[in-house]
Amino acid sequence: MVTLLLDATQLEVVLSGAERALARRHGSVTVDRAHISKVQLTDDAWNWLRGVPNPGTHVRGTIAMGTWRSSGGADFVIVRRRRPAVVIDLDGDPEFARLVLSTRHGRALVQALRLDPGDEVPHEVSALAASSA
């Protein structure tokens, strides 16, 4: 499961070693918070995939991880089975047009993005949402 870290300026998707290997990516995905244009929750992330993995790993119905390229741009995808997910549309990001991530912290991410963390220290999204409740 990906770890989502959020501070005043950016969202960081921290990948485990296995996720980095399957996504064929060396490090985390970092997105400027100002580039986030829309966040949607979904129960079926498979409907949101577009294009083909390049580079990445795809096992139909089981996992989809990596960069998915299509005519609409590049999406970063971490999808596992039929787990809840969050779809993050980006506007102006130099690397990705969208993030599609299986996470049980989708609602917490939406709540945390509405908050102003007020500092430059990254906080885990689930902790930010819990502290505001």
Side-chain angles (χ1 to χ4, degrees), residues 1-33:
M1 188 72 58
V2 297
T3 301
L4 302 173
L5 300 177
L6 184 67
D7 67 18
T9 61
Q10 67 183 13
L11 170 67
E12 182 178 3
V13 181
V14 181
L15 305 173
S16 70
E19 290 165 339
R20 283 193 313 271
L22 290 170
R24 298 187 183 149
R25 186 169 180 93
H26 295 290
S28 301
V29 174
T30 304
V31 174
D32 188 334
R33 196 170 170 166

Side-chain angles (χ1 to χ4, degrees), residues 24 50-58 64-69:
R24 298 187 183 149
R50 59 184 180 184
V52 295
N54 183 17
T57 301
H58 180 224
M65 294 188 188
T67 301
W68 286 60
R69 299 194 190 278

Side-chain angles (χ1 to χ4, degrees), residues 26-99:
H26 295 290
S28 301
V29 174
T30 304
V31 174
D32 188 334
R33 196 170 170 166
H35 292 160
I36 298 173
S37 61
K38 184 167 52 171
V39 179
Q40 301 174 77
L41 302 176
T42 182
D43 288 331
D44 189 3
W46 296 96
N47 289 332
W48 291 89
L49 299 182
R50 59 184 180 184
V52 295
N54 183 17
T57 301
H58 180 224
V59 178
R60 183 178 290 264
T62 304
I63 61 166
M65 294 188 188
T67 301
W68 286 60
R69 299 194 190 278
S70 70
S71 61
D75 297 344
F76 184 75
V77 173
I78 298 285
V79 175
R80 290 187 175 91
R81 299 198 187 272
R82 296 277 179 211
R83 295 188 181 162
V86 62
V87 179
I88 304 168
D89 289 325
L90 305 173
D91 187 24
D93 187 75
E95 192 173 10
F96 298 113
R98 186 166 65 180
L99 306 177

